[in-house]
Amino acid sequence: MRDDAPQINNLPNAPGVGFKAQHFEALLADPGPVRWVEVHAENYMGDGGRPLAQLSALQEDFALSVHGVGLSIGGEEPLDQDHLTRLKRLCDRVQPASFSEHLAWSTHCAEYLSDLLPLPYTEQTLTQVAQHIDEVQQVLGRRMLLENPSSYLAFDSSTLSETDFLAELVGRSGCGLLLDVNNVFISATNLGLSPQAYIDAFPTDHVGEIHVGGHDTDTDEHGALLLIDSHGRPVVDPVWELLRYTLAQTGPKPVLVEWDNDVPDWPVLRAEAERAEQVLV
């Protein structure tokens, strides 16, 4: 699917949250500034039941984004056709305003791994990932957004920067981009880079959605600071500042607050969405 593909990102330029079932009633009763929700595709691939019923109810008041975590876009193996078929069935059923996946791999042969793993940025992987994106977009009949990863190491074999790699993917496949600002902050800290320089080099004209989230801190074997993409804490002040820097370049965008582990009560997450709204103003 190339540049003549229809534009399908109709998410509002407003705060969104990653939806959790325990927040269903509170979200409907007191959404605050939240105008859209995002769900992980793999949690909604059943034929019915409460999860899909909740999505149907939410869509009466909120735009919906479907975020995949299991396609293994960056893997060497062919895409799992059963997984792709079930993903298409979900997207056809709920007609989300946006669909996105990660620039990562998570499968090896028949094994599924619990992490989203990085890949070297070479011509070979560029060709492979572009082909996978083309296949996903053709099967789904919609343009997808690709998310930049959080990195803990760099490959000696890489011949392209991450931002150049993403720009090439956009040019070859016509996909859009999901810019995870927390991932940028994590990768820049872990690899000793400037997060502002990364944003300056990012192909921001193709950003359809922005993410922020919390992270954990640790140290590596040499005692150096190591950030872990945990989605289990509030967004830290430097990430909010990086979001402000990013929006100054992109203009208003849909901004999602992710909180997937140690999920708090709804008022805590709503307060994070309120902070995102303040940055968007």
Side-chain angles (χ1 to χ4, degrees), residues 47-61:
D47 292 327
R50 184 179 181 184
L52 287 171
Q54 287 187 334
L55 279 195
S56 179
L58 287 171
Q59 284 185 278
E60 295 182 11
D61 296 306

Side-chain angles (χ1 to χ4, degrees), residues 40-76:
H40 289 170
E42 288 72 14
N43 294 331
Y44 294 86
M45 286 183 171
D47 292 327
R50 184 179 181 184
L52 287 171
Q54 287 187 334
L55 279 195
S56 179
L58 287 171
Q59 284 185 278
E60 295 182 11
D61 296 306
F62 304 96
L64 175 65
S65 173
V66 169
H67 188 52
V69 297
L71 271 178
S72 199
I73 288 284
E76 292 184 349

Side-chain angles (χ1 to χ4, degrees), residues 221-237:
E221 60 184 4
H222 303 292
L225 177 65
L226 181 68
L227 302 186
I228 308 295
D229 187 25
S230 62
H231 296 179
R233 296 176 180 273
V235 180
V236 298
D237 287 344

Side-chain angles (χ1 to χ4, degrees), residues 250-266:
T250 65
K253 292 290 180 182
V255 175
L256 182 86
V257 177
E258 295 185 286
W259 201 320
D260 297 319
N261 297 301
D262 299 322
V263 177
D265 291 338
W266 172 246

Side-chain angles (χ1 to χ4, degrees), residues 28 37 43 68 111 154 166 179 187 203 220 232-233 239 272:
L28 288 175
V37 296
N43 294 331
E111 299 297 323
L166 288 165
L179 175 51
S187 298
D220 64 18
R233 296 176 180 273
V239 171
E272 291 287 275

Side-chain angles (χ1 to χ4, degrees), residues 136-195:
V136 172
Q137 293 185 140
Q138 290 298 331
V139 170
L140 298 187
R142 60 177 62 235
R143 176 174 286 161
M144 66 172 285
L145 306 181
L146 189 68
E147 178 181 347
N148 58 292
S150 53
S151 297
Y152 308 95
L153 54 82
F155 289 90
D156 287 339
S157 58
S158 290
T159 56
L160 294 165
S161 69
E162 185 170 285
T163 51
D164 286 346
F165 190 88
L166 288 165
E168 283 291 325
L169 283 175
V170 169
R172 295 190 187 194
S173 70
C175 72
L177 297 174
L178 191 167
L179 175 51
D180 191 313
V181 172
N182 185 56
N183 287 357
V184 173
F185 184 78
I186 288 172
S187 298
T189 300
N190 291 341
L191 303 181
L193 306 173
S194 163

